Amino acid sequence: MSTPYPFTAIVGQDDLRLGLLLNAVSPAVGGVLVRGEKGTAKSTAVRALAALMPEVPVVPGCRFSCDPASPDPACPDGPHAEAAGVSRPARTVELPVGASEDRLVGALDIERALSEGVKAFEPGLLADAHRGILYVDEVNLLHDHLVDLLLDAAAMGASYVEREGVSVRHAARFLLVGTMNPEEGELRPQLLDRFGLTVEVSASRDTDERVEVVRRRLAYDDAPEGFAARWAEEEGALRERIAAARVLLPRVVLSDGVLRQIAATCAAFEVDGMRADIVMARTATALAAWAGREEVTADDVRQAALLALPHRRRRNPFDAPGLDEDKLDQTLDEAGPPENSDGDDQPDPDGGGDDDGGGGGGGGVPPQADGEDRTPPQGSEGDSPSPAPEGAPDAPGRPAGGEQQPVASAEPFRTKMLSVPGLGEGAAGRRSRARTEHGRTTGARRPEGALTKLHLAATVQAAAPHQRARGRAGRGLVVRRDDLRQATREGREGNLVLFVVDASGSMAARQRMSAVKGAVLSLLLDAYQRRDKVGLVTFRGKEAEVALPPTSSVDAAAARLESLPTGGRTPLAAGLLKAHDVLRVERLRDPSRRPLLVVVTDGRATGGPEPVALAGRAGRLHRSEGTASVVVDCESGYVRLGLAGELARELGGTAVTLDELRADSIAGLVKDVTAAGRAA
């Protein structure tokens, strides 16, 4: 087994270390979600934490790590007779992104359950992680149903496996740590709320600190054991501090004044439900125990709010994370400081006093949470043209010969669902019909691999004619492997929604482009809620460009949309051909994910020889490959040329106006797309 990187050798990342240590002191805090860019020691810190956890006494031979002092009465390996326990190190169990449901929660041997009536259960990762750490890297890329199972087990402290009336329950209490890169997609707000704490991490911009990070990493890579030995003393001191804080934790007093501050803070920031109040109370108590105190102070409440509330305030992916510190301080002052709150004790996340620059209390406002400028999206720095000077032509309906300054989008609105016709087999989502592991049962088939969803009626029907030949005696049904039938289910899949946005001069009128951006932003929000991948192609001037390659991050797509400049001619054909290239590559990368092409334009095509005919040929190319498409008609005014409708016919799709995007008339859109494609 490789030597883990020492926790105390991590440079900086105060919030990350503090969040992990508070959960080590009090697992009831509810875990921590670590959000940040790649290469910021997220995984290193989580794996290093296991070496600091106290050893775990377990019942010998128990696959579910029962505590010999109080074994689980419902343990599948029980009941356990009184026996001396054995100690082992706390485990860190990693849940891979591609894990199945059975790998997570365990699996029942359905054949033995039916024929012998025994609960032959193979434990999953939740059982392995009991009384240890469960680490989920890239938690935002897990299927929603796996995240639901994971967080339910973390909240209840137990895992339940149900298969056609046969059930198994076992304890599953663990420190849950998830890491994610927001650029790859967000978690749903309901899932964010289930994590106790969240921290934002980013690479330091301090030269000396970056030098120290590289120096220590190179030293560790050259001689891991020797490097770990140099930090053994600091590791031992931190391990003892965690153990002491655990002992002190039950004696920490949470006064009524502190509870009023917690409740007032949660109410002031309008967080949903009561989970935030409970998590803040537990976090403040853990902070006091970590500082060696028996009473919670105002500083503990403030620190707990900065760790427990930012992710609970996000209503959609376009909301900025973080808290307003001035508002937080004002709320705490108005609620009244608790007694004996001197604010002198500050939590020290590493406890070792080493010189790694991480001796601060951590827990400030997460990066980019206080109105700071974000790092420009990849490909935007240096590529965005200079803003047009004041007085540039922007009259409604007047094509701008030059480039226009980007305008803000209108307020987003709720759109009707756009779907890809037919039945797909893509990744689980909430848009188009598909064959999925979860959903309503539509039939049965022979299992091609391991049986995961038994169709009981079909299995009994297959086994019934052979009972006499198999020598059945008694009431039990003789079931063989060939009799088993897998349930086929229908649910919803996520799609690739590729936006092709006209940014030419004909779209440059300020009010008009603002409405167009608002409509696209609304569709992006809908794509986020339906777990789609999104991409963005824009065209103007003489060419088209991929503003955002297909990604799960609608946040990035919204940022590119806001900075989109306009002006010049309308190379509609170039935009459609660029979209075709993007879809061709994506079909090779992810053939099961079906695309939905959304073209946002007024239908005009200018520039180059025969621009209208060329655009028609590009549209027919998409239609020949069966790509589902929708044209959002942005033409305005009393006189309409209907060019967007003609483009929709070439694509084999349908056209819808900006106003209709809000209306019930769009409900039959998929049927119209299919009919138009057949008619063509």
Side-chain angles (χ1 to χ4, degrees):
M1 180 179 177
S2 61
T3 303
Y5 192 91
F7 191 87
T8 50
I10 296 172
V11 180
Q13 305 297 10
D14 298 345
D15 289 0
L16 169 59
R17 293 184 297 156
L18 180 62
L20 293 173
L21 290 171
L22 291 177
N23 275 275
V25 170
S26 176
V29 166
V32 58
L33 175 65
V34 185
R35 297 162 46 93
E37 58 198 30
K38 51 188 176 293
T40 49
K42 300 189 297 291
S43 300
T44 299
V46 175
R47 296 185 178 107
L49 181 66
L52 302 176
M53 302 287 284
E55 288 197 339
V56 178
V58 297
V59 174
C62 179
R63 297 174 297 167
F64 302 88
S65 302
C66 280
D67 186 349
S70 56
D72 181 8
C75 176
D77 284 355
H80 297 297
E82 293 185 6
V86 295
S87 295
R88 61 161 176 79
R91 294 172 179 161
T92 296
V93 176
E94 297 192 28
L95 175 62
V97 170
S100 65
E101 179 181 343
D102 286 343
R103 184 71 185 98
L104 176 64
V105 301
L108 288 169
D109 188 329
I110 301 297
E111 185 173 355
R112 291 189 61 192
L114 284 175
S115 59
E116 303 176 27
V118 297
K119 296 179 181 179
F121 181 70
E122 184 65 29
L125 295 177
L126 292 180
D128 293 341
H130 180 45
R131 305 175 68 199
I133 301 172
L134 182 60
Y135 171 45
V136 188
D137 193 14
E138 306 293 355
V139 64
N140 52 325
L141 301 183
L142 275 180
H143 288 310
D144 282 353
H145 74 280
L146 290 182
V147 180
D148 287 333
L149 289 170
L150 178 66
L151 296 178
D152 283 344
M156 296 185 296
S159 175
Y160 295 85
V161 182
E162 302 284 347
R163 290 290 189 277
E164 303 295 343
V166 181
S167 63
V168 171
R169 172 212 168 274
H170 65 82
R173 292 183 295 275
F174 45 81
L175 193 166
L176 176 63
V177 182
T179 59
M180 60 176 284
N181 183 347
E183 293 180 356
E184 296 173 340
E186 287 284 356
L187 280 172
R188 288 185 284 128
Q190 298 91 330
L191 301 182
L192 282 171
D193 183 58
R194 300 296 291 274
F195 282 94
L197 309 179
T198 185
V199 295
E200 297 271 345
V201 297
S202 61
S204 173
R205 300 298 183 256
D206 181 80
T207 301
D208 293 337
E209 193 166 294
R210 294 176 75 97
V211 168
E212 186 62 22
V213 170
V214 176
R215 181 182 293 119
R216 294 186 186 185
R217 186 69 208 191
L218 293 177
Y220 170 78
D221 291 341
D222 289 341
E225 294 183 0
F227 183 83
R230 292 199 296 273
W231 290 89
E233 184 176 347
E234 288 83 353
E235 291 282 286
L238 190 55
R239 190 179 298 109
E240 292 176 1
R241 185 174 176 184
I242 292 174
R246 284 189 168 191
V247 173
L248 179 61
L249 184 67
R251 303 201 302 270
V252 175
V253 176
L254 195 67
S255 67
D256 288 343
V258 167
L259 287 175
R260 289 190 64 83
Q261 283 189 315
I262 291 172
T265 301
C266 293
F269 285 99
E270 299 179 348
V271 295
D272 295 332
M274 295 298 298
R275 184 176 285 117
D277 304 62
I278 297 170
V279 170
M280 272 190 65
R282 290 171 173 167
T283 304
T285 303
L287 280 163
W290 179 246
R293 289 182 271 102
E294 294 188 4
E295 186 170 355
V296 176
T297 68
D299 289 331
D300 296 330
V301 176
R302 187 180 192 278
Q303 182 74 73
L306 293 172
L307 292 170
L309 296 187
H311 61 301
R312 292 184 164 87
R313 297 191 64 244
R314 286 177 68 96
R315 296 296 190 270
N316 63 62
F318 313 131
D319 291 340
L323 295 180
D324 182 339
E325 284 198 79
D326 292 336
K327 180 178 179 180
L328 174 60
D329 291 335
Q330 180 182 354
T331 302
L332 292 175
D333 290 341
E334 290 175 354
E339 297 178 0
N340 301 326
S341 172
D342 53 18
D344 292 335
D345 294 322
Q346 294 293 331
D348 178 4
D350 57 29
D354 53 55
D355 59 354
D356 65 359
V365 176
Q368 302 173 352
D370 203 17
E372 300 174 18
D373 291 337
R374 292 175 178 258
T375 302
Q378 183 179 358
S380 65
E381 186 174 354
D383 294 340
S384 296
S386 302
E390 286 188 26
D394 59 358
R398 176 181 175 183
E403 193 170 275
Q404 301 293 305
Q405 185 176 1
V407 298
S409 65
E411 191 71 20
F413 53 86
R414 188 173 66 87
T415 67
K416 293 294 184 178
M417 184 176 69
L418 312 180
S419 300
V420 177
L423 190 64
E425 295 182 348
R430 298 183 174 185
R431 184 172 296 277
S432 305
R433 294 174 54 231
R435 298 182 185 91
T436 61
E437 287 294 319
H438 296 268
R440 62 186 183 90
T441 301
T442 58
R445 59 176 174 82
R446 291 180 182 272
E448 297 175 357
L451 181 69
T452 55
K453 299 291 183 181
L454 178 73
H455 194 295
L456 183 59
T459 298
V460 172
Q461 186 176 6
H466 309 291
Q467 296 305 295
R468 181 175 298 178
R470 294 173 183 174
R472 172 184 173 184
R475 302 175 61 183
L477 191 67
V478 181
V479 179
R480 295 180 179 173
R481 174 69 186 177
D482 291 343
D483 301 327
L484 300 180
R485 295 293 183 269
Q486 175 86 21
T488 57
R489 303 185 179 223
E490 182 179 311
R492 293 279 174 177
E493 66 176 359
N495 298 112
L496 166 60
V497 182
L498 182 61
F499 294 92
V500 182
V501 179
D502 185 349
S504 65
S506 64
M507 302 284 290
R510 303 278 174 154
Q511 188 174 7
R512 183 179 181 185
M513 196 60 197
S514 177
V516 169
K517 285 187 175 183
V520 178
L521 200 63
S522 303
L523 291 168
L524 282 172
L525 181 58
D526 181 70
Y528 161 75
Q529 294 169 339
R530 301 191 187 283
R531 313 303 288 170
D532 295 315
K533 290 180 69 174
V534 296
L536 179 63
V537 172
T538 64
F539 58 94
R540 63 187 178 87
K542 296 182 180 180
E543 60 184 12
E545 65 173 346
V546 181
L548 183 71
T551 175
S552 296
S553 176
V554 297
D555 205 359
R560 302 293 171 91
L561 181 69
E562 286 293 334
S563 61
L564 178 67
T566 58
R569 292 184 178 275
T570 311
L572 177 57
L576 295 174
L577 292 175
K578 181 67 71 173
H580 179 267
D581 291 341
V582 172
L583 295 179
R584 177 177 54 82
V585 173
E586 284 302 306
R587 284 190 180 98
L588 297 176
R589 290 177 177 171
D590 190 358
S592 64
R593 189 181 289 269
R594 297 186 295 161
L596 175 63
L597 185 68
V598 179
V599 185
V600 185
T601 181
D602 56 10
R604 289 181 174 88
T606 60
E610 300 183 347
V612 176
L614 187 58
R617 287 198 295 271
R620 290 192 293 274
L621 179 61
H622 283 281
R623 184 178 63 183
S624 68
E625 297 185 353
T627 302
S629 59
V630 177
V631 178
V632 180
D633 185 359
C634 302
E635 194 173 28
S636 58
Y638 292 105
V639 179
R640 296 176 181 262
L641 302 178
L643 298 176
E646 294 180 11
L647 175 62
R649 285 189 288 275
E650 297 287 6
L651 287 166
T654 192
V656 56
T657 66
L658 288 174
D659 291 336
E660 290 171 339
L661 202 56
R662 303 169 180 261
D664 293 338
S665 59
I666 201 173
L669 183 60
V670 174
K671 183 184 295 184
D672 293 339
V673 170
T674 309
R678 285 198 298 264

